């Protein structure tokens, strides 16, 4: 069973069972402002970020992918993964923009059934992990809390609706009060899902990547002719 799960993660996600290279950090580490500052410095240098805001956006995308992977692990394979123990590793050889996503790793353990999937996503994943990380990133000038939250949202929506096809759970998360997620008035799901069409509400600053310098197809800047 573990081999089949490992094969699924390895084939469909940026995941390895064991990683020992450096630099390694956990999602829990990213709650620490000093660690975030060091990580932003590394990203700015390695991925030709114009600004710290662009680097902060990359971190939020990394967190979003991790959140999606943890949701998939629980719903698809019934795994109990503490979000704080999810490991991120940036291989030393990564230099180009297309490879900015790190490799992830966590233990394959059976599921704890004490919480429903919705409650665990809301309280354990968001309130205890994602939102505290976002709060350490908002001080980066030039990018808003809304943009950082949307960077996470796009990955979580992708895994729920595309990979898992669980619209019922997605609607449960939309209906939950924003305060339960550890947020203020800005709901981490409902605010973005209310946007018209498939367009984002915020810009992730992709155009500030020196090797690319293009906006995403769904970027709101495209509507403004920028």
């Amino acid at each position: 069973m573990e081999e089949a799960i490992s094969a699924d993660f390895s084939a469909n996600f940026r995941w390895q069972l064991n990683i020992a290279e450096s630099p390694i950090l956990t999602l829990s580490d990213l709650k620490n402002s000093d660690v975030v500052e060091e990580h932003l410095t590394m990203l700015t240098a390695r991925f030709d970020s114009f600004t710290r805001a662009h680097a902060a956006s990359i971190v939020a995308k990394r967190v979003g992918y991790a959140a999606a992977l943890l949701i998939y692990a629980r719903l698809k394979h019934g795994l109990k993964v503490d979000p704080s123990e999810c490991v991120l590793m940036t291989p030393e050889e990564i230099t180009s923009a297309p490879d900015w996503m790190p490799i992830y790793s966590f233990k394959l353990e059976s599921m704890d059934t004490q919480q429903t999937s919705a409650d665990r996503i809301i309280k354990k994943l968001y309130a205890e992990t994602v939102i505290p990380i976002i709060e350490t990133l908002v001080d980066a000038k030039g990018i808003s809390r809304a943009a950082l939250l949307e960077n996470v949202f796009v990955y979580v929506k992708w895994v729920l609706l595309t990979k898992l096809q669980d619209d019922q759970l997605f609607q449960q998360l939309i209906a939950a009060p924003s305060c339960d997620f550890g947020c203020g008035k800005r709901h981490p799901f409902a605010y973005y899902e209310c946007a018209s069409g498939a367009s984002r509400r915020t810009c992730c600053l992709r155009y500030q990547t020196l090797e690319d310098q293009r906006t995403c197809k769904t970027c709101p800047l495209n509507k403004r002719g920028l």
Side-chain angles (χ1 to χ4, degrees), residues 206-225:
R206 171 187 170 179
Y207 70 90
Q208 291 187 7
T209 305
L210 289 180
E211 294 187 9
D212 199 333
Q213 297 190 19
R214 294 176 298 168
T215 58
C216 302
K217 292 181 180 179
T218 58
C219 183
L221 294 182
N222 295 333
K223 295 182 179 180
R224 303 171 196 169

Side-chain angles (χ1 to χ4, degrees), residues 182-195:
C183 298
K185 296 181 179 179
R186 183 63 50 76
H187 197 291
F189 286 82
Y191 176 78
Y192 305 102
E193 187 59 17
C194 289

